[in-house]
Amino acid sequence: MDSDRDFTPEQLARGRALRRAQVPWVLGGRAAGLALSLLLGLTPAGAHLVGGAGRLFGGSWAAEVLAGATALVLLGQLLGLPFAARVRSVRSGYGLVTQGWGGWAVDLLRGLALTLALALPAALGLYALTGWSADRWWLPAAGAAALLTVALSFLFPLVVEPLFNRFSPMPDGELRSALVALAERDGVPIRDVLVADASRRTTALNAYVSGLGATRRVVAYDTLISTAEPREVELVVAHELGHVKHRDVAVGTVLGALGAAVAVGLLGLLMSLRPLLDAAGVPDAADPRSLPLLAACAAGLGALAGPVQSAASRRIEARADRHALELTGDPEQFIAMQRRLALTNIADVDPPRVLELLFASHPSTARRIAAARTWAAARP
Ligand SMILES: [Zn+2]
């Protein structure tokens, strides 16, 4: 791949420099979180923490579950804070951040409230099930996890996205008409393209599809609409229409639901292993003080599943790119759009392969451009 053809050496160096400045903190934050989970789950420290937190609130079963889960979530957030702050200031140094520290802190608190709103009822439900049967709790829990995954995917645009952004229908005009015509030509029924007020946080460009059925929506950042050429916006939306056409959100949700059910089954197995329970200093999975062990096992499974999820995501993204090329028949504008995204977002257009393989949700810019040239060359 010859990125030199599409980018100047300065542009390539700038993306590489930002990647080198922020990746250690992004990955460091993740590694620290995983290490904390393992430390609390695989030693008696976590059980002591949950027991102590429970005693502060009367020491009942529910107090242990609720106070213990809250303590675990808060500790994880506190540990992640310096890493997240460092990533923010690195990105700020590159002009990618438009939000002050106050707004950043409010976002963090909103995220924390959302996490607790999900985690506390889930923990209560889970320990109600382990109390019912310390051996077979995972069976109904697996079903519940699958249902919850589908419900969250459906509710995400209604409940989660409005916490962080405002959305408005794209104003009437040439661009909106062009996008609606594009969707019609594609045979994809979309009610509208929504514009998110992303500029309150960032200068970066993005668009995405979320929701299921009645909540499905195509969203473009306002930064994209105000920065990119209309034809480039069309290419971005053509890519998003590829996601709609192939039902990527619905299929991803079903796979996610299956994955969640399998993960809970594996958790059921792990939480029955005597060496793990002994390491955590708890008699069985019915004891709420086993919560840190459960969290550690879940964090470990999550870390193992990450690369598989990113590989699946990269395939889906490459397919949406092909859809954009087929729908528009315009590889030149596709490449212009990729250049625009990479330059505005200060992307490393050709990152180290190992980072791409383990963590990237999208193929690199260099790969996406090369794929477009290959597609164009194969056309008569
Ligand atoms: Zn995509």
Side-chain angles (χ1 to χ4, degrees), residues 230-239 324 328 330 333-334 337:
R231 191 73 185 126
E232 293 166 2
V233 178
E234 274 188 57
L235 263 297
V236 170
V237 170
H239 167 102
T328 61
D330 196 346
Q333 280 303 319
F334 179 92
M337 177 267 281

Side-chain angles (χ1 to χ4, degrees), residues 24 33 43 104 147 174 197 200 212 252 281 285 345:
T43 71
W104 180 80
L147 287 178
E174 268 179 51
D197 61 344
R200 56 191 286 194
L212 292 172
N345 298 349

Side-chain angles (χ1 to χ4, degrees), residues 26-88:
V26 173
L27 296 187
R30 287 202 213 177
L34 183 60
L36 176 70
S37 287
L38 296 178
L39 178 74
L40 290 175
L42 300 179
T43 71
H48 289 311
L49 176 75
V50 172
R55 274 193 298 280
L56 286 178
F57 294 90
S60 69
W61 167 89
E64 279 193 337
V65 174
L66 292 176
T70 305
L72 289 180
V73 168
L74 286 179
L75 268 180
Q77 291 270 330
L78 272 179
L79 181 67
L81 208 55
F83 295 94
R86 180 70 197 196
V87 170
R88 184 201 173 275

Side-chain angles (χ1 to χ4, degrees), residues 23-301:
V23 161
W25 296 95
V26 173
L27 296 187
R30 287 202 213 177
L34 183 60
L36 176 70
S37 287
L38 296 178
L39 178 74
L40 290 175
L42 300 179
T43 71
H48 289 311
L49 176 75
V50 172
R55 274 193 298 280
L56 286 178
F57 294 90
S60 69
W61 167 89
E64 279 193 337
V65 174
L66 292 176
T70 305
L72 289 180
V73 168
L74 286 179
L75 268 180
Q77 291 270 330
L78 272 179
L79 181 67
L81 208 55
F83 295 94
R86 180 70 197 196
V87 170
R88 184 201 173 275
S89 57
V90 166
R91 296 180 66 76
S92 181
Y94 280 78
L96 286 165
V97 176
T98 56
Q99 184 185 39
W101 284 104
W104 180 80
V106 169
D107 275 355
L108 278 182
L109 289 174
R110 282 195 189 126
L112 177 62
L114 185 65
T115 304
L116 288 174
L118 289 171
L120 296 185
L124 270 185
L126 208 64
Y127 278 91
L129 288 175
T130 61
W132 160 74
S133 164
D135 303 320
R136 280 196 294 275
W137 62 271
W138 56 270
L139 211 60
L147 287 178
L148 199 63
T149 305
V150 176
L152 282 177
S153 184
F154 179 81
L155 290 174
F156 194 79
L158 300 181
V159 178
V160 178
E161 292 181 40
L163 286 178
F164 297 96
N165 282 101
R166 288 183 200 291
F167 299 86
S168 48
M170 184 172 278
D172 281 330
E174 268 179 51
L175 181 59
R176 184 179 183 282
S177 309
L179 298 180
V180 169
L182 189 70
E184 269 173 22
R185 192 145 52 81
D186 203 11
V188 171
I190 57 163
R191 278 171 294 279
D192 218 330
V193 173
L194 293 177
V195 181
D197 61 344
S199 58
R200 56 191 286 194
R201 289 194 188 85
T202 182
T203 56
L205 313 180
N206 200 5
Y208 64 90
V209 180
S210 63
L212 292 172
T215 68
R216 190 182 68 195
R217 63 215 315 224
V218 176
V219 176
Y221 277 19
D222 56 353
T223 46
L224 179 73
I225 309 297
S226 61
T227 313
E229 297 292 333
R231 191 73 185 126
E232 293 166 2
V233 178
E234 274 188 57
L235 263 297
V236 170
V237 170
H239 167 102
E240 301 307 328
L241 291 175
H243 287 311
V244 176
K245 190 121 186 173
H246 290 109
R247 301 178 183 281
D248 289 337
V249 176
V251 173
T253 301
V254 170
L255 290 177
L258 287 174
V262 170
V264 171
L266 287 172
L267 286 177
L269 177 70
L270 292 169
M271 293 297 287
S272 70
L273 298 179
R274 185 43 52 197
L276 287 182
L277 291 165
D278 286 345
V282 291
D284 58 31
D287 188 330
R289 291 177 309 130
S290 68
L291 186 58
L293 174 61
L294 189 74
C297 294
L301 290 178

